[in-house]
């Protein structure tokens, strides 16, 4: 994280929160990274008060975890967390479009911008440009959320989208992106919404969430395989240690019980 010269006194709280959120979404602040109010204040050359407020804002959004003794850390989302995010979004969006006249108001003047966001997101996804993809994808869903007549639901959906990207970004940066981990349906979805075709909207969203949940299944399988390999290595090490004892009945040191390994990171999916 480099200090931002653009941070000004009048909007410090929001600018610091935005800057740190961008660092997390870019993968430069990895899950589990710890820092204190003092460290961030010194980095930006500001007082502790706006920094503390910004960090609590990000904690309220679910991006940071706080501990009164250790400060703040970037939240580590699990596969189970991601699966719950996808299921929650699916349930909410499904409910919204059951009777769109009451819950969704599609404004034709807003469609042109959303179409541009959709095209840019798909182009970035196919080109493997993660930074551009995240930016356009978040703007795409944020602008779609402006059609939702309930602002609390719109805010909830935006938060889930950001959290899903926090879960995915470091995995994507490490393992790369392809059609198996990215969703390219932005344009089809917006055209279905523009036509008022509820069945097609549902079909596109079901396709998206099935894609997300299938990726979660692959993650769980890979983690289980990785855990099995680690357990095997630790058992082998324990047996080797046991065989170093003096010869004779009952003289070998029994292998130690393996420790429960941490789940390894797995490749990600378009949030």
């Amino acid at each position: 994280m480099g200090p931002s010269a653009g941070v000004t006194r009048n909007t410090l709280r929001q600018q610091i929160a935005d800057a740190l959120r961008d660092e997390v979404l870019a993968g430069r602040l990895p899950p589990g990274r710890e820092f204190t109010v003092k460290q961030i204040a010194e980095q930006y050359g500001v007082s502790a008060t706006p920094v503390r407020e910004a960090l609590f804002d990000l904690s309220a959004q679910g991006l940071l975890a706080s501990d009164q003794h250790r400060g703040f850390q970037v939240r580590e989302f699990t596969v189970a967390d991601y699966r719950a995010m996808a299921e929650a979004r699916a349930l909410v969006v499904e409910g919204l479009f059951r009777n769109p006249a009451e819950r969704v108001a599609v404004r034709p003047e807003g469609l042109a911008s959303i179409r541009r966001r959709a095209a840019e997101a798909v182009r970035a996804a196919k080109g493997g440009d993660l930074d551009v993809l995240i930016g356009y994808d978040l703007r795409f869903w944020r602008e779609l959320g402006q059609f939702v007549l309930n602002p609390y639901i719109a805010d909830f959906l935006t938060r889930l989208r950001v959290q899903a990207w926090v879960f995915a970004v470091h995995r994507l940066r490490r393992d790369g992106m392809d059609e198996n981990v990215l969703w390219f349906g932005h344009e089809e979805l917006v055209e279905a919404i523009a036509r008022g075709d509820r069945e097609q909207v549902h079909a596109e969203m079901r396709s998206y969430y099935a894609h997300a949940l299938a990726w979660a299944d692959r993650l769980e399988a890979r983690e289980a395989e990785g855990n099995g390999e680690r357990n095997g290595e630790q058992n082998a090490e324990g047996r080797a240690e046991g065989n170093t004892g003096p010869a004779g009945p009952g003289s070998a040191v029994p292998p130690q019980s393996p420790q429960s390994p941490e789940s390894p990171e797995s490749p990600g999916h378009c949030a």
Side-chain angles (χ1 to χ4, degrees):
M1 292 185 300
S4 173
V7 173
T8 57
R9 303 295 300 183
N10 61 336
T11 56
L12 283 176
R13 175 179 182 169
Q14 187 60 51
Q15 289 197 37
I16 292 170
D18 290 345
L20 291 174
R21 186 186 301 109
D22 289 345
E23 293 292 315
V24 173
L25 287 171
R28 292 187 289 271
L29 277 178
R33 171 70 178 274
E34 296 181 353
F35 46 83
T36 65
V37 170
K38 181 180 178 181
Q39 289 171 333
I40 300 300
E42 291 177 349
Q43 178 177 309
Y44 287 102
V46 299
S47 67
T49 298
V51 171
R52 185 177 295 106
E53 292 172 343
L55 294 178
F56 279 121
D57 287 345
L58 294 178
S59 297
Q61 295 170 27
L63 303 187
L64 302 180
S66 62
D67 184 287
Q68 64 179 7
H69 301 297
R70 302 178 64 180
F72 295 82
Q73 68 175 196
V74 179
R75 183 172 174 183
E76 297 188 68
F77 291 107
T78 66
V79 176
D81 291 327
Y82 179 80
R83 186 188 299 280
M85 294 173 200
E87 291 174 346
R89 284 177 58 89
L91 288 171
V92 172
V93 173
E94 180 82 12
L96 284 172
F97 281 91
R98 283 178 183 165
N99 190 342
E102 294 180 1
R103 299 185 178 94
V104 179
V106 178
R107 295 178 292 278
E109 65 275 12
L111 288 172
S113 176
I114 294 175
R115 286 189 173 103
R116 287 195 298 271
R117 308 296 189 202
E120 292 295 340
V122 172
R123 186 177 298 112
K126 291 181 177 179
D129 192 331
L130 186 58
D131 288 328
V132 174
L133 170 59
I134 292 174
Y136 277 111
D137 179 80
L138 289 175
R139 285 193 285 271
F140 171 80
W141 290 101
R142 188 178 300 116
E143 291 186 20
L144 274 186
Q146 293 174 3
F147 293 159
V148 177
L149 297 179
N150 186 321
Y152 295 97
I153 292 177
D155 181 64
F156 172 72
L157 292 173
T158 297
R159 290 190 182 198
L160 284 180
R161 194 70 178 176
V162 173
Q163 291 174 2
W165 271 119
V166 172
F167 170 81
V169 64
H170 66 285
R171 293 170 168 85
L172 292 171
R173 288 200 182 282
R174 189 194 65 187
D175 297 299
M177 304 179 293
D178 58 31
E179 65 276 5
N180 293 319
V181 296
L182 295 177
W183 181 70
F184 300 149
H186 299 73
E187 292 172 299
E188 288 80 3
L189 175 60
V190 72
E191 293 308 320
I193 292 174
R195 294 192 305 270
D197 187 341
R198 285 186 290 171
E199 290 304 316
Q200 189 60 36
V201 169
H202 288 155
E204 296 296 339
M205 294 308 298
R206 284 194 297 268
S207 173
Y208 167 74
Y209 292 118
H211 193 91
L213 295 175
W215 170 74
D217 289 340
R218 293 196 299 273
L219 280 180
E220 288 179 335
R222 180 172 297 190
E223 289 188 352
E225 180 181 352
N227 286 343
E229 292 175 354
R230 289 190 180 187
N231 281 330
E233 291 173 358
Q234 291 179 347
N235 281 327
E237 291 173 359
R239 287 192 296 271
E241 291 174 359
N243 291 333
T244 60
S251 62
V253 178
Q256 297 177 354
S257 299
Q259 299 294 319
S260 298
E262 295 180 356
S263 297
E265 292 180 353
S266 304
H269 169 82
C270 183

